[in-house]
Amino acid sequence: MGEQPIFTTNVAAVRATDPGETTLVGVYEISKLLASVNRLEVNLAGVLGLMSSFLDMRHGLIALLDKTGKPEIVVGSGWSENNAKVYFDRLPERAIGQIVTTKMPLVVESVHSSPLFAGSDLSAWGPKDGQPFSLIGVPIKDGEDVVGTLTVDRVFTSRTNVRFDHDVRFLTMIANLVGQTLRLQKLVARDRERLMQENARLEKSNRPRSSEVKFSGIEGIVGDSPSVRAVVKKIRIVAKSRSTVLLRGESGTGKEMFAAAIHNLSPRQSKPFVKLNCAALPESVLESELFGHERGAFTGAITMRKGRFELADGGTLFLDEIGDISAPFQAKLLRVLQEGEFERVGGMRPIKVDVRLVCATNRNLEDAVKRGEFRADLYYRINVVPIFLPPLREREGDLLPLANEFLRRFNTEQKSEMSLTASALAVLSQCKFPGNIRELENCVRRTATLAQSDLIEDSDFACRNDGCLSAILWKGAETPQQVGVIQALRPMSLPEEASIDSHVAEAPVAAPLSVPPSAPLSSPSAESWTGGDSDHRSDREKIIDAMERAGWVKAKAARILGLTPRQIGYALRKHNIRVKKF
């Protein structure tokens, strides 16, 4: 039934007082419960639990109905959550229909003698001794529309002293509170959709328009290097078409910015630009976010909600990190791309939308297809026009304009007037920034935040104070020990597996980090190599030493050596080292 309500009032004492005081306290407690942050079913179950403390009742049912009058959510008191709907279905349609049609309360003093319940099987409802019982039902309204019913039953005797009129008024007030809660949740869902569209519009209108950010000829894209000019030239061409675009490149190269540029240069620029990071959501949530859901599709789905595909109708949908979606969801997405239509979660009606799709990934999709991790048919659907975004180290001449632009934005936000000196620019130009533009922005903001004055000097940078985050993140990328071990692994005869993961296995040495001479490549730690250039141990001895220090945990030993887990596995097999198990 959910969480039990916590009473802040002595209910037993209140019930001994006059009915008016009981009603007031009951409405107060129930209104507090409905205002709490819980799932809708939990709050409704709590409402029924509270009602049993203020009313002489055996069972209670709250049913929320769809537009056709069928129950979507049913919560019961006195029954388990699983069979609450079963008991609701045993209520005659004539009785529930009378409440919905007349929009008025229904009072049945004796259910067994009421024509509304003629022919109904009520054996599971009444007391074991066959004693008759009464039923009270009131409508739950959203404005003038009936969206549900609230019913209670209790033992009926001719000597009962419970006043039906008082109970009807009390239940009607509770039903009104429930209706207001449902109406507020609908308004919140509607406002969420409106705010998403408004945010997209504001993001577009508030983009910087100064000449500093127009090096490429496209607002928001800073740089005029040959590699950027080549990308911009291709974007201007593909933006005019409806073809699906796949943006590829390392993490931090600005895929979202280039996706927005494609939209803004297209005939769809006046329509929504909707974006979603596929890697940020679990599959169940991702499906609802993309396709939307119908009311009652799952627990908590109390209103219909449009997905990103519908929100982007007529515009552009940007799916970032598309290479990280699961195999089952790849099949669902492929169907949408093939058929051009989809159904909301819990829905049966196909919905057609006109959406231009732009995808992005930093994964090697070709290798993922070979390994069976990514569907080949989906790969061909999204890889219609591939555009490879260059890393920052290949954008010669763009680094300093980008740094100045990030500092300009920082000054605008902080209302400051900071600037980069020649020595500061020299420090930046010496780094290759393996984290690309995202890392450069992080470096500029961090340095500007901690700078001693408005003039940023070379001494203000973390790498000048043995605290370079890149050096820590990519530590040991060029140490002789790691190079030696990696080179020793390359001749290993694992053709199929090694070819698939060669780009991963050689990552530490393929793009070595370049930092100022005074900045250490790695920070000393307990896991760093004990030997230096004078360490003449064999590779086998070094690997065994690392495994011993790591407690024979391969992942930890790989971190000590600066290798990947796959590489350490290759090394153990090559040197015939048996892994100890404890």
Side-chain angles (χ1 to χ4, degrees):
M1 289 299 301
E3 301 171 2
Q4 294 298 320
I6 300 176
F7 299 105
T8 58
T9 307
N10 190 330
V11 177
V14 171
R15 291 186 64 173
T17 62
D18 62 281
E21 183 70 14
T22 303
T23 301
L24 179 62
V25 174
V27 170
Y28 169 70
E29 294 289 348
I30 289 173
S31 64
K32 285 197 306 180
L33 179 60
L34 288 174
S36 62
V37 182
N38 280 316
R39 289 192 305 116
L40 180 64
E41 290 90 336
V42 172
N43 283 345
L44 294 181
V47 168
L48 294 173
L50 278 169
M51 283 171 45
S52 64
S53 302
F54 292 95
L55 288 178
D56 185 11
M57 57 175 273
R58 292 188 310 124
H59 304 109
L61 285 172
I62 294 179
L64 303 182
L65 311 175
D66 60 17
K67 293 181 180 180
T68 64
K70 295 181 180 179
E72 285 186 325
I73 298 175
V74 180
V75 179
S77 171
W79 293 301
S80 70
E81 200 167 330
N82 294 330
N83 59 18
K85 189 174 184 302
V86 174
Y87 281 94
F88 177 81
D89 291 338
R90 291 180 181 177
L91 287 173
E93 289 187 11
R94 286 175 294 177
I96 298 300
Q98 180 172 321
I99 300 174
V100 175
T101 303
T102 63
K103 304 179 182 180
M104 297 291 291
L106 171 68
V107 177
V108 181
E109 293 188 4
S110 177
V111 168
H112 288 80
S113 59
S114 171
L116 289 175
F117 289 81
S120 300
D121 180 13
L122 301 174
S123 58
W125 278 71
K128 295 180 179 179
D129 56 5
Q131 204 170 20
F133 63 95
S134 306
L135 183 136
I136 306 174
V138 296
I140 299 173
K141 298 181 182 179
D142 180 2
E144 292 299 319
D145 298 327
V146 176
V147 295
T149 59
L150 167 59
T151 57
V152 300
D153 68 88
R154 61 166 171 255
V155 175
F156 169 77
T157 64
S158 57
R159 297 185 301 275
T160 181
N161 58 358
V162 180
R163 297 185 300 171
F164 284 106
D165 57 344
H166 166 266
D167 290 349
V168 169
R169 285 194 298 270
F170 179 67
L171 290 175
T172 301
M173 285 188 282
I174 302 307
N176 289 339
L177 288 174
V178 173
Q180 289 175 8
T181 301
L182 297 175
R183 183 160 57 252
L184 286 174
Q185 293 193 356
K186 288 180 181 178
L187 289 174
V188 169
R190 195 178 306 129
D191 285 345
R192 173 187 175 275
E193 180 179 332
R194 180 183 59 80
L195 286 173
M196 285 181 61
Q197 295 175 343
E198 183 68 12
N199 285 338
R201 186 187 67 80
L202 289 175
E203 280 184 11
K204 181 178 177 181
S205 62
N206 290 338
R207 288 194 184 99
R209 298 180 180 273
S210 66
S211 59
E212 293 181 79
V213 295
K214 294 186 178 180
F215 296 105
S216 65
I218 300 178
E219 290 184 3
I221 297 180
V222 180
D224 195 35
S225 62
S227 56
V228 169
R229 284 202 301 268
V231 171
V232 169
K233 181 180 178 181
K234 185 176 288 188
I235 282 178
R236 289 186 183 279
I237 297 173
V238 301
K240 301 174 184 177
S241 71
R242 299 184 56 174
S243 300
T244 301
V245 178
L246 178 61
L247 299 176
R248 308 189 62 171
E250 298 176 11
S251 179
T253 50
K255 299 184 191 68
E256 184 178 324
M257 190 67 70
F258 283 96
I262 293 173
H263 172 75
N264 294 330
L265 293 172
S266 73
R268 300 168 176 262
Q269 58 180 320
S270 60
K271 297 296 184 178
F273 173 65
V274 180
K275 50 197 175 185
L276 179 66
N277 188 326
C278 299
L281 300 171
E283 182 181 333
S284 57
V285 179
L286 183 61
E287 184 175 5
S288 175
E289 281 292 326
L290 273 180
F291 307 139
H293 62 250
E294 297 288 352
R295 179 181 175 185
F298 49 82
T299 299
I302 62 170
T303 60
M304 185 277 290
R305 178 176 166 187
K306 292 182 179 180
R308 304 295 174 100
F309 268 103
E310 284 184 83
L311 295 176
D313 190 20
T316 304
L317 176 61
F318 174 53
L319 298 181
D320 198 6
E321 306 292 357
I322 195 170
D324 293 327
I325 61 177
S326 65
F329 193 78
Q330 290 174 28
K332 296 177 183 178
L333 183 59
L334 177 64
R335 179 180 176 275
V336 177
L337 299 182
Q338 288 177 332
E339 306 295 333
E341 63 182 28
F342 62 93
E343 295 92 30
R344 298 192 189 108
V345 177
M348 302 295 291
R349 180 176 62 88
I351 299 172
K352 280 189 171 292
V353 291
D354 176 21
V355 173
R356 202 275 178 79
L357 191 64
V358 178
C359 305
T361 184
N362 60 5
R363 293 191 63 193
N364 188 324
L365 290 185
E366 290 75 18
D367 282 354
V369 171
K370 291 178 184 177
R371 292 193 296 266
E373 298 173 358
F374 200 85
R375 294 177 63 107
D377 42 9
L378 179 59
Y379 168 81
Y380 292 119
R381 283 284 178 179
I382 65 175
N383 196 35
V384 179
V385 181
I387 297 180
F388 292 85
L389 304 184
L392 187 55
R393 60 182 175 274
E394 296 178 6
R395 295 174 55 176
E396 186 175 355
D398 289 345
L399 190 146
L400 300 185
L402 280 165
N404 283 319
E405 168 59 18
F406 292 140
L407 185 59
R408 185 194 65 79
R409 295 179 188 177
F410 179 87
N411 286 335
T412 301
E413 295 171 7
Q414 303 297 325
K415 296 180 173 55
S416 58
E417 297 181 357
M418 308 190 76
S419 60
L420 294 165
T421 63
S423 63
L425 294 174
V427 171
L428 290 173
S429 61
Q430 292 173 12
C431 184
K432 294 298 183 182
F433 289 102
N436 293 300
I437 299 173
R438 184 182 293 117
E439 182 187 351
L440 173 62
E441 182 177 13
N442 175 275
C443 177
V444 171
R445 285 181 170 273
R446 180 177 67 250
T447 305
T449 301
L450 300 175
Q452 300 292 329
S453 67
D454 287 346
L455 292 176
I456 299 177
E457 303 284 351
D458 58 346
S459 58
D460 292 320
F461 286 92
C463 58
R464 294 299 195 192
N465 300 287
D466 297 342
C468 180
L469 297 183
S470 289
I472 296 173
L473 181 64
W474 301 86
K475 65 179 181 178
E478 295 181 317
T479 57
Q481 294 86 348
Q482 293 167 1
V483 173
V485 173
I486 292 172
Q487 289 176 344
L489 296 178
R490 285 177 182 163
M492 296 183 63
S493 108
L494 295 164
E496 186 173 337
E497 207 170 14
S499 64
I500 290 175
D501 293 293
S502 59
H503 67 289
V504 177
E506 297 181 358
V509 295
L513 177 66
S514 173
V515 296
S518 60
L521 283 172
S522 61
S523 300
S525 67
E527 294 186 350
S528 61
W529 281 83
T530 56
D533 292 336
S534 59
D535 188 354
H536 300 294
R537 293 178 300 169
S538 66
D539 290 339
R540 191 175 194 278
E541 291 172 334
K542 295 174 185 177
I543 294 168
I544 293 176
D545 177 67
M547 291 293 290
E548 289 284 358
R549 290 159 56 199
W552 289 89
V553 178
K554 288 191 284 187
K556 187 174 180 181
R559 289 196 297 270
I560 293 175
L561 295 172
L563 305 177
T564 66
R566 187 179 295 275
Q567 287 174 330
I568 197 70
Y570 292 164
L572 291 171
R573 290 196 294 273
K574 176 186 177 182
H575 295 288
N576 195 25
I577 301 173
R578 296 189 61 183
V579 178
K580 296 180 181 179
K581 296 182 180 180
F582 299 96

